[in-house]
Amino acid sequence: MKIIEPSDNIKEILENDKSENKLSFFYFTASWCGPCQRIFPVLLTLENEYNKSIKEDKDESEDTNEDTDDERDEDEIDLSSSDDEEEKAEEKVVFYKIDIDENDEYASECKIRSVPTFYLFNGTEKLGETTGANIQKIGELLKENLK
């Protein structure tokens, strides 16, 4: 998950993701927010599993050899970002974390009233949003917009 800094140009990030055929998923959070802290590891798993499943779908269509369950479990536990260029090329959604206290100007511009809040963008067009630490709602937001 990439961290948005106050010096980052949000519009440029959104346009760059769109030019690479990727959606941008923004997670607005705060260090003092308990639900934000609880949902964060789940979001990391979602990001890892989602991008891994896209890569596996492509691999399965190219090769009928499947990994063993042990190998998959190992991959699922590793939540660090991969430097594998092929895997990066398969990303369809880029996940960003935005601390509202450090990025108060952008949080205000987006009218963030509570955290955690999640936005999904295609370029500068907001496709949808959800609030609260509810992984089902987050999953629905992604599924609805990725078909």
Side-chain angles (χ1 to χ4, degrees):
M1 187 169 299
K2 298 176 181 180
I3 297 175
I4 298 290
E5 300 293 340
S7 61
D8 290 337
N9 182 331
I10 303 294
K11 187 176 179 183
E12 190 176 290
I13 290 169
L14 292 171
E15 289 172 352
N16 184 54
D17 287 349
K18 183 172 184 166
S19 72
E20 294 178 4
N21 252 356
K22 297 177 184 181
L23 300 179
S24 308
F25 181 82
F26 283 17
Y27 159 49
F28 291 92
T29 184
S31 59
W32 46 262
C33 170
C36 296
Q37 304 315 310
R38 286 190 298 277
I39 197 74
F40 182 65
V42 179
L43 290 173
L44 289 175
T45 301
L46 177 66
E47 174 187 30
N48 187 51
E49 288 304 308
Y50 177 74
N51 288 319
K52 179 178 176 232
S53 72
I54 291 171
K55 184 176 182 339
E56 283 180 356
D57 289 346
K58 183 178 183 220
D59 289 348
E60 286 176 13
S61 68
E62 293 173 356
D63 182 10
T64 56
N65 269 341
E66 292 187 17
D67 295 336
T68 66
D69 287 342
D70 290 341
E71 290 171 336
R72 283 200 180 138
D73 289 343
E74 233 177 82
D75 289 342
E76 290 171 1
I77 294 169
D78 181 15
L79 299 179
S80 62
S81 59
S82 172
D83 288 332
D84 182 353
E85 288 302 316
E86 181 180 336
E87 187 168 326
K88 284 184 182 177
E90 295 304 317
E91 276 184 336
K92 296 295 180 193
V93 180
V94 183
F95 288 72
Y96 296 97
K97 180 179 179 182
I98 303 174
D99 186 303
I100 63 166
D101 292 326
E102 293 176 13
N103 297 279
D104 56 342
E105 186 177 311
Y106 188 65
S108 177
E109 185 180 319
C110 289
K111 298 181 173 100
I112 302 301
R113 306 230 185 278
S114 64
V115 286
T117 295
F118 308 91
Y119 282 3
L120 186 63
F121 289 95
N122 182 8
T124 56
E125 176 191 357
K126 185 168 69 168
L127 300 175
E129 69 180 270
T130 188
T131 59
N134 184 326
I135 197 64
Q136 284 78 24
K137 284 185 180 180
I138 296 165
E140 288 171 14
L141 174 65
L142 289 166
K143 284 180 190 175
E144 287 172 8
N145 291 286
L146 292 169
K147 291 186 177 188

